[in-house]
Structures are given as C-alpha cells and as structure tokens.
Amino acid sequence: MVSRTRTARYARRRKRRMDAVEHDLSPYEWAALQHEWGGCAYCGATGSALQRDCVLPISRGGRYTLDNVVPACGRCNASKCNDEVTGWLRRKRLDERAFLVRQAEIRIALTAAAPGSITD
C-alpha cells in the first residue's frame, strides 16, 4: 500500500528529482567545502552539524556539485527551503554580496588547489 500523507508524497517526489540528475560532489570536495567556509555559508554559525545546501535547489534544476553546494546550518537550510538564494538572503537581511564573493573565492581556490584530484 502506498502512503498518501503529504510527507510521503514529498519524499517520493524528492527521490524522483534526486534520481533524475547526476550528482558529482565527492566526499573529499564536501570536506574541503566545510573546511573553507568554516561554518554556515549563510550566517556563519559554527558548532553545529552542517548540511549540504544547494544554492540552486534541486527542485529548480540544481544538483550536488562543487559549484552548487555550500555548507549550511539546519536553521538556514530549513529557512531557505527551495528559495532562490539571493532573494532569500535579502529577505533575511544577510549580506548577499559577501556570500556571492566568498562562494566564488572558495570555488576558485578549491579548483586551483588540486586540479585533477579535486574531482577524483
């Protein structure tokens, strides 16, 4: 019997979206991202478990890649949900420019640090 609760429907929909795209973020890249950000990419919170958050949500065509994933605290990740990142940052009164500049710097640093091995 198929569960018809809202949560179950959402989980099935998310699984279909996740299975439909190729994710290529390696465990090494995820660890490097967490190290470089040093906390939540949005609010800077440290000391709590960080979650993978897609800058462009999976529901809007994003996927888990080095260019699209940032570490986020549970509070920011839940709040952002599947919103577009710049609009969400403005609504939360967070520094949109600082986030975008830092994301670009980290992406450049990680791809330049170990060309060829970062994606292994």
Side-chain angles (χ1 to χ4, degrees):
M1 172 159 198
V2 175
S3 177
R4 297 186 187 275
T5 66
R6 181 180 304 156
T7 305
R9 284 192 311 267
Y10 174 77
R12 284 191 302 274
R13 215 173 28 242
R14 179 171 170 75
K15 181 171 177 8
R16 280 194 304 271
R17 281 193 303 263
M18 294 289 286
D19 291 344
V21 295
E22 183 179 334
H23 303 287
D24 60 4
L25 184 71
S26 71
Y28 171 78
E29 290 171 325
W30 173 237
L33 280 170
Q34 290 179 83
H35 174 74
E36 289 296 318
W37 279 100
C40 177
Y42 303 123
C43 70
T46 59
S48 63
L50 296 173
Q51 303 170 355
R52 293 177 185 149
D53 183 52
C54 289
V55 175
L56 176 64
I58 291 170
S59 63
R60 295 175 184 235
R63 57 193 188 107
Y64 288 132
T65 64
L66 183 63
D67 293 339
N68 193 45
V69 171
V70 296
C73 65
R75 178 179 230 150
C76 286
N77 197 7
S79 172
K80 182 178 162 283
C81 192
N82 70 340
D83 289 343
E84 192 273 326
V85 72
T86 54
W88 176 80
L89 287 166
R90 283 184 220 129
R91 281 193 307 280
K92 295 295 277 185
R93 300 190 193 289
L94 296 170
D95 192 345
E96 171 188 356
R97 184 177 187 283
F99 167 78
L100 295 172
V101 168
R102 182 81 175 122
Q103 182 190 25
E105 290 170 349
I106 288 172
R107 182 179 41 223
I108 290 167
L110 290 179
T111 54
S117 67
I118 191 81
T119 56
D120 291 342

